[in-house]
Structures are given as C-alpha cells and as structure tokens.
C-alpha cells in the first residue's frame, strides 16, 4: 500500500507542477502580448513625435543661425567647442565662460550685410 500511496502522491505532485508550469506559460504569454503591444505603441509614438517635431520646425520662423553660411556655421561650432575663431586669437582655447566679441563678430557680424 505504501507503494500505491507514494505513486499517487508522486502523481499528485507531478500534476501540481504541471499545472504551475502551465500557469507560468500562460502568464508569460500574457506578458509577451503586453510587451508587443507596448513596443508597437512606442514605435507609433516615436514616428508621430518625429513628424510633429518636423511640423513644428517647418512652422517656426527661420533664425539667424539657420541663415549662416556653411563656413560661418563651422566657425560657430568651433567657438562653441571652446576655441577662438577671430583673427587675433584663432585656435587658442577660450577660458571657461569666456566670450570673445571678435569671435562673435567673425561669426555673425558681416553675415547680415552679405545677405542683403
């Protein structure tokens, strides 16, 4: 009898583990479906966000920085990286929080007169 009881007990344990495994598989499938839905929504929102940013950019008036020539844009980038772009100190490092009127004039000063 003890053998029957132990095999019954073993069968019950197996059935219990099988049920727990099935529950776990069901929960994993539910989580997978939620992850897929969230990922799809994320992609849709990213695309919508990109389109909205593009529409906002198109609606905004053009700023003077958008009107700079390519060479002046390069000078501006160098200046923002911390280098002088004026003829007086060209290539030298700017001190932290330093601004240079000569550099700003080289970047923005004569551009207005050239476009008119």
């Amino acid at each position: 009898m003890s053998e029957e009881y132990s095999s019954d007990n073993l069968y019950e344990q197996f059935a219990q583990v099988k049920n727990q495994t099935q529950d776990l598989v069901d929960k994993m499938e539910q989580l997978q479906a939620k992850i897929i839905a969230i990922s799809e929504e994320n992609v849709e929102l990213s695309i919508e966000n990109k389109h909205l940013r593009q529409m906002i950019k198109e609606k905004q008036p053009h700023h003077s920085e958008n009107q700079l020539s390519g060479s002046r844009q390069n000078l501006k980038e160098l200046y923002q990286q911390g280098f002088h772009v004026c003829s007086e100190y060209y290539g030298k490092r700017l001190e932290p929080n330093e601004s240079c009127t000569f550099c700003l004039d080289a970047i923005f000063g004569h551009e207005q007169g050239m476009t008119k």
Side-chain angles (χ1 to χ4, degrees):
M1 271 255 200
S2 65
E3 289 179 11
E4 274 186 38
Y5 179 73
S6 66
S7 68
D8 285 345
N9 189 20
L10 187 61
Y11 181 76
E12 287 175 16
Q13 288 178 350
F14 179 78
Q16 185 180 8
V17 169
K18 181 181 173 187
N19 289 338
Q20 289 174 345
T21 304
Q22 187 59 48
D23 289 344
L24 184 60
V25 168
D26 292 343
K27 288 179 183 177
M28 288 176 63
E29 287 174 351
Q30 290 172 359
L31 282 173
Q32 183 180 19
K34 287 179 183 178
I35 288 171
I36 289 171
I38 289 171
S39 295
E40 289 173 352
E41 182 182 13
N42 188 21
V43 168
E44 289 174 11
L45 290 173
S46 294
I47 292 169
E48 183 179 357
N49 191 10
K50 183 179 177 181
H51 287 197
L52 289 172
R53 288 180 190 270
Q54 186 176 1
M55 288 175 60
I56 289 171
K57 187 177 179 181
E58 290 172 0
K59 299 263 183 202
Q60 289 180 340
H62 295 289
H63 299 291
S64 62
E65 83 176 277
N66 293 337
Q67 297 173 357
L68 291 177
S69 65
S71 58
R72 290 184 186 270
Q73 282 283 25
N74 291 339
L75 291 176
K76 180 181 173 195
E77 289 175 22
L78 285 171
Y79 182 74
Q80 289 174 337
Q81 292 174 8
F83 294 97
H84 280 278
V85 294
C86 61
S87 59
E88 184 76 23
Y89 303 108
Y90 186 82
K92 293 184 181 177
R93 271 249 179 233
L94 289 160
E95 295 295 321
N97 299 320
E98 177 187 10
S99 63
C100 175
T101 305
F102 300 119
C103 289
L104 294 174
D105 188 51
I107 297 169
F108 300 106
H110 302 293
E111 186 76 18
Q112 301 300 328
M114 293 175 64
T115 58
K116 289 185 179 177

